[in-house]
Amino acid sequence: MERDPESVPIAREKALSIVGEDCSVRDDLLLVVSELVTNAIQHPELTGTIHVGLTAGMGLLIVEVRDPGTWYEAPRVVPPYDPLAVGGRGLLLVVLLCGGRWGTYVIRGGERIVWAAIPTAEWAPRAQDVIAARRRLVA
């Protein structure tokens, strides 16, 4: 996808076409996709396109957004210092919707992947287990 604000609704539409209207976490998924794609459009310092992936398994729906990267690895969840500020709460919402099941890592050429795992079942793995498993994946 191009790093263009028009890519956000396209990414949401594609995600919805995969999971369907009846998906139990549809609204959470759409918000997570919106936030991660928006951040990928707004924040990378390097040029290139973004890629969105969606996988399901083990009681989780995992959204991955790969962007061209920046000079620092991790996006930060910061408390909103100004309650009237226009932005700055998106990743906090992602963290809450995912129960802390999210993270980021850098791959070849400095590209960054930010991922979030939305629980779809009560028996979904705990946040620390998901994070540990994802770290082993990229190690």
Side-chain angles (χ1 to χ4, degrees):
M1 299 188 146
E2 295 300 317
R3 285 183 51 207
D4 182 308
E6 295 298 318
S7 295
V8 177
I10 293 168
R12 282 194 309 259
E13 183 179 318
K14 286 183 180 181
L16 188 57
S17 73
I18 292 168
V19 301
E21 287 285 340
D22 296 333
C23 176
S24 63
V25 294
R26 180 193 71 196
D27 294 337
D28 294 353
L29 171 66
L30 296 179
L31 191 146
V32 168
V33 167
S34 292
E35 180 57 30
L36 296 186
V37 172
T38 297
N39 284 351
I41 290 167
Q42 292 179 342
H43 298 297
E45 297 167 347
L46 306 175
T47 60
T49 58
I50 60 172
H51 304 273
V52 181
L54 185 61
T55 56
M58 296 186 58
L60 298 169
L61 191 55
I62 302 171
V63 178
E64 286 188 338
V65 177
R66 187 175 79 211
D67 66 46
T70 187
W71 304 116
Y72 54 91
E73 179 178 344
R76 294 171 297 282
V77 178
V78 293
Y81 295 110
D82 180 358
L84 302 178
V86 173
R89 294 175 186 80
L91 275 179
L92 179 59
L93 292 174
V94 169
V95 171
L96 293 172
L97 290 173
C98 297
R101 297 170 186 91
W102 82 287
T104 183
Y105 49 89
V106 174
I107 59 173
R108 67 186 183 288
E111 291 180 319
R112 178 180 49 200
I113 292 180
V114 179
W115 62 271
I118 304 164
T120 59
E122 289 184 28
W123 49 265
R126 298 174 310 155
Q128 57 266 43
D129 296 333
V130 175
I131 292 167
R134 303 273 310 169
R135 282 189 183 137
R136 284 191 301 272
L137 252 171
V138 298

